[in-house]
Amino acid sequence: MAFLFILPTWPVDVWTAAMAKVAPDLDVRVWPDRMGNVADIEYCAAWLPPPGVVKSLPNLKVIMSLGAGVDAILKDPTLPGNIPIVRVNDPDLTGRMSEYIVLHVLYHHRQQRRIEDNQKHKIWNSFPTHAAKDLKVGIMGLGVMGTDSALKLRDIGFAVAGWSQSRKSVPGVESFAGSAEFDAFLARTDVLVSLLPAPPDTDGIINRSTIRKLSRKGPLGAPVIINAGRGRQQVEADIIAALDAGELLAATLDVFATEPLPPDSPLWTHPRVTVTPHCAADSDPETICAYVVGNIRRHQRGESLDNLVDRARGY
Ligand code: NDP
Ligand code: OXD
């Protein structure tokens, strides 16, 4: 049995070293030039795998995403339909995401951009601030990441709600479910966070009409968006237009339709946009290798795989 890494954009040596530490006996192969006899490969782990690579593995038993999202795996038109796909659900990755979401909600809540602008001009201006309970944060996607972020924001004191396909019961977090409750969710939300995966029905969900439905009654005067889900969820031209029209106060964006974000994107230089390079939650090689090996061992023992992806739902 051999295991294959498919990592066109990540430092392969870091990942093979981590895997050697976690599972010294595992026969690790690397796409594209250390594949050996492909017939040996029964498990693979991938981040942004090029189309066709998975199909070229005749004895593959499980495909593992090295992140929480699986959109890059599912978009391969040649992907065999019968091989289970598992994704990462690990406290290390989840904790990193919550740090990012808490950081950026606090950044807007405490008007940090205004303080930094004032410092540039040597302006000592301690403007009025508001309490966390007065700011309504709405999280699209109340799954593993969304729930952890919601709980941490709730504990700081924010008024938190989540929107998901199915109704949730998270103490202290209001739950909205399905398209029928989307507008009500938006209407109560001052800071809209996306932690959605990328099934087709979420494409372009952060558009001008969505932005216009957000609350304008909050203490910041206009809504804020934070997207750490997937770039295809946002209509970038609509975000810029809404910012320029005063319909949106600010945006923090970690994910983009095209990554890396092209140098000519106006998002880079917009004074009220924070761009981060898809780093909200990084997959830590040793932690994630241990998680991958755990799943391989379970599968070898005939046990069910953890965190199987539902292909029909797309996440
Ligand atoms: P989960 O699968 O645990 O949660 C997904 C949530 O989204 C679920 O609550 C689901 O609802 C909800 N959802 C899916 N489709 C819809 C829809 N059409 N309408 C309403 N709700 C919907 O995923 P995770 O929390 O683990 O991860 C979420 C995403 O975060 C990843 O898929 C990835 O895109 C992104 N991510 C980004 C990272 C970064 O660094 N920027 C790092 C890690 C993840 P229900 O529960 O009812 O099914
Ligand atoms: C992930 C990601 O899905 O990094 O884990 O985006």
Side-chain angles (χ1 to χ4, degrees), residues 124-155:
W124 183 275
N125 173 16
S126 63
F127 46 81
T129 54
H130 52 271
K133 71 174 173 36
D134 296 330
L135 194 71
K136 296 193 167 73
V137 182
I139 302 180
M140 297 197 289
L142 209 51
V144 173
M145 303 265 168
T147 302
D148 193 65
S149 293
L151 290 171
K152 286 173 177 156
L153 290 165
R154 178 206 66 182
D155 288 349

Side-chain angles (χ1 to χ4, degrees), residues 171-187:
V173 176
E174 197 179 353
S175 166
F176 292 81
S179 50
E181 295 180 15
F182 189 49
D183 285 4
F185 164 75
L186 296 176

Side-chain angles (χ1 to χ4, degrees), residues 87-164:
R87 67 187 201 92
V88 173
N89 167 3
D90 178 85
D92 178 82
L93 191 71
T94 305
R96 290 167 190 244
M97 179 59 85
S98 295
E99 287 172 8
Y100 181 91
I101 300 300
V102 168
L103 168 70
H104 289 280
V105 170
L106 284 171
Y107 180 86
H108 298 294
H109 165 62
R110 298 301 303 251
Q111 303 179 65
Q112 184 62 22
R113 189 187 308 279
R114 188 169 168 187
I115 289 173
E116 286 165 12
D117 286 347
N118 282 347
Q119 183 176 348
K120 272 185 213 134
H121 300 100
K122 301 184 183 169
I123 296 172
W124 183 275
N125 173 16
S126 63
F127 46 81
T129 54
H130 52 271
K133 71 174 173 36
D134 296 330
L135 194 71
K136 296 193 167 73
V137 182
I139 302 180
M140 297 197 289
L142 209 51
V144 173
M145 303 265 168
T147 302
D148 193 65
S149 293
L151 290 171
K152 286 173 177 156
L153 290 165
R154 178 206 66 182
D155 288 349
I156 293 172
F158 293 107
V160 185
W163 178 69
S164 41

Side-chain angles (χ1 to χ4, degrees), residues 87 142-145 163 165-166 168 195 197 201 228 254 281 315:
R87 67 187 201 92
L142 209 51
V144 173
M145 303 265 168
W163 178 69
Q165 296 267 34
S166 54
K168 305 292 176 198
L195 283 174
D201 59 348
D254 184 56
Y315 62 98

Side-chain angles (χ1 to χ4, degrees), residues 134-253:
D134 296 330
L135 194 71
K136 296 193 167 73
V137 182
I139 302 180
M140 297 197 289
L142 209 51
V144 173
M145 303 265 168
T147 302
D148 193 65
S149 293
L151 290 171
K152 286 173 177 156
L153 290 165
R154 178 206 66 182
D155 288 349
I156 293 172
F158 293 107
V160 185
W163 178 69
S164 41
Q165 296 267 34
S166 54
R167 175 99 40 225
K168 305 292 176 198
S169 178
V170 181
V173 176
E174 197 179 353
S175 166
F176 292 81
S179 50
E181 295 180 15
F182 189 49
D183 285 4
F185 164 75
L186 296 176
R188 54 74 64 200
T189 293
D190 301 318
V191 177
L192 180 69
V193 174
S194 178
L195 283 174
L196 286 167
D201 59 348
T202 63
D203 278 1
I205 193 167
I206 307 171
N207 55 39
R208 193 83 183 256
S209 153
T210 299
I211 291 167
R212 284 183 172 150
K213 289 176 185 165
L214 290 166
S215 167
R216 297 200 143 58
K217 296 186 214 124
L220 296 173
V224 168
I225 56 172
I226 298 174
N227 186 7
R230 281 292 181 265
R232 51 200 279 188
Q233 289 154 10
Q234 71 209 9
V235 181
E236 293 176 4
D238 283 11
I239 292 174
I240 299 273
L243 284 163
D244 291 343
E247 293 168 10
L248 196 60
L249 180 69
T252 294
L253 306 174

Side-chain angles (χ1 to χ4, degrees), residues 225-288:
I225 56 172
I226 298 174
N227 186 7
R230 281 292 181 265
R232 51 200 279 188
Q233 289 154 10
Q234 71 209 9
V235 181
E236 293 176 4
D238 283 11
I239 292 174
I240 299 273
L243 284 163
D244 291 343
E247 293 168 10
L248 196 60
L249 180 69
T252 294
L253 306 174
D254 184 56
V255 286
F256 302 89
T258 304
E259 295 180 7
L261 184 63
D264 61 354
S265 168
L267 293 169
W268 278 116
T269 49
H270 196 287
R272 280 177 289 126
V273 176
T274 300
V275 168
T276 58
H278 198 141
C279 63
D282 277 341
S283 295
D284 172 66
E286 257 184 60
T287 310
I288 305 300

